[in-house]
Amino acid sequence: GAGVSQSPSNKVTEKGKDVELRCDPISGHTALYWYRQRLGQGLEFLIYFQGNSAPDKSGLPSDRFSAERTGESVSTLTIQRTQQEDSAVYLCASSPIAGGETQYFGPGTRLLVL
Amino acid sequence: KQEVTQIPAALSVPEGENLVLNCSFTDSAIYNLQWFRQDPGKGLTSLLLIQSSQREQTSGRLNASLDKSSGRSTLYIAASQPGDSATYLCAVIGGANNLFFGTGTRLTVIP
């Protein structure tokens, strides 16, 4: 497993349900990012983790969104009480260090809220 | 807030042509700039990363330039091929933890 992996690849849920998206970064990468891409729009930054520092949550669109990361390993993005506007592709990326290093993206999770 | 614009939104060229994709950004205080490729149904593929102190980067048929003072970057693709068809995204890194993306240029190379 050399790359970033994400699961599930697709998720269909009903409005009001909670969903949990998972990201497994490349081993040894200290920085992890979550992004969202809605249909026809550019990529939006959501949240950033760097080592054991407090995460940068400035991109989270509402308090229904939260994310966790255990050390420098897997991260989960949780969306509570999903809304139709949450439908998007959710992308995770990792990089060896913060800032100047290239980010390596996973294949994304396509979320559809009915 | 940093704003990133890509022109054109879509481009269609015959195979073999050289082409240029444009990216502009409003805040020149950037850390670096990155070009990505996005294929339908797949994740992003990083193409070139230009540090703020650099003027250009080259990889194969791709050449990316950066002019921080004017807030511009270009991606030059030489001798285009049908396999180059994809959406190309420009991303500006404004600090240690944020990428600001443009909406992309959808490229179609006609055989």
Side-chain angles (χ1 to χ4, degrees):
Chain A
V4 177
S5 61
Q6 291 185 243
S7 62
S9 55
N10 293 281
K11 177 70 176 179
V12 180
T13 190
E14 294 179 352
K15 178 181 175 181
K17 300 280 188 179
D18 297 349
V19 296
E20 186 173 276
L21 312 180
R22 177 187 171 107
C23 172
D24 285 272
I26 294 172
S27 178
H29 282 193
T30 60
L32 186 147
Y33 309 72
W34 281 98
Y35 300 89
R36 177 173 73 176
Q37 185 179 30
R38 288 194 267 194
L39 187 65
Q41 299 184 22
L43 281 167
E44 303 172 58
F45 164 78
L46 296 177
I47 189 170
Y48 156 78
F49 296 90
Q50 172 58 42
N52 293 317
S53 301
D56 177 357
K57 304 179 182 180
S58 60
L60 294 179
S62 78
D63 59 7
R64 296 186 294 105
F65 287 72
S66 62
E68 294 183 351
R69 187 183 186 194
T70 305
E72 295 182 358
S73 61
V74 66
S75 175
T76 56
L77 176 69
T78 301
I79 309 173
Q80 295 178 310
R81 306 181 301 282
T82 53
Q83 303 294 314
Q84 289 181 332
E85 65 199 52
D86 299 334
S87 297
V89 176
Y90 289 82
L91 290 160
C92 173
S94 69
S95 68
I97 61 173
E101 292 292 325
T102 298
Q103 297 190 16
Y104 299 83
F105 282 81
T109 293
R110 286 159 185 74
L111 175 64
L112 177 62
V113 181
L114 300 177
Chain B
K1 181 182 177 181
Q2 180 74 267
E3 292 183 3
V4 183
T5 304
Q6 290 188 244
I7 296 173
L11 179 64
S12 183
V13 300
E15 181 177 2
E17 274 202 5
N18 303 325
L19 59 100
V20 175
L21 308 181
N22 297 290
C23 172
S24 61
F25 46 94
T26 55
D27 186 351
S28 63
I30 66 170
Y31 197 72
N32 53 39
L33 184 145
Q34 193 166 2
W35 282 94
F36 294 88
R37 167 182 174 146
Q38 186 174 29
D39 294 277
K42 298 186 178 180
L44 296 179
T45 301
S46 179
L47 298 174
L48 290 164
L49 173 68
I50 310 176
Q51 303 284 355
S52 61
S53 59
Q54 298 174 322
R55 298 283 292 182
E56 66 177 339
Q57 282 287 317
T58 298
S59 176
R61 294 182 294 107
L62 305 180
N63 176 277
S65 68
L66 174 62
D67 184 342
K68 272 182 54 178
S69 60
S70 65
R72 294 180 182 178
S73 176
T74 61
L75 179 66
Y76 175 84
I77 303 177
S80 59
Q81 302 171 359
D84 295 333
S85 298
T87 296
Y88 289 81
L89 292 164
C90 166
V92 169
I93 302 175
N97 57 7
N98 265 342
L99 264 69
F100 297 93
F101 282 90
T103 52
T105 294
R106 183 175 300 158
L107 173 66
T108 303
V109 180
I110 304 167

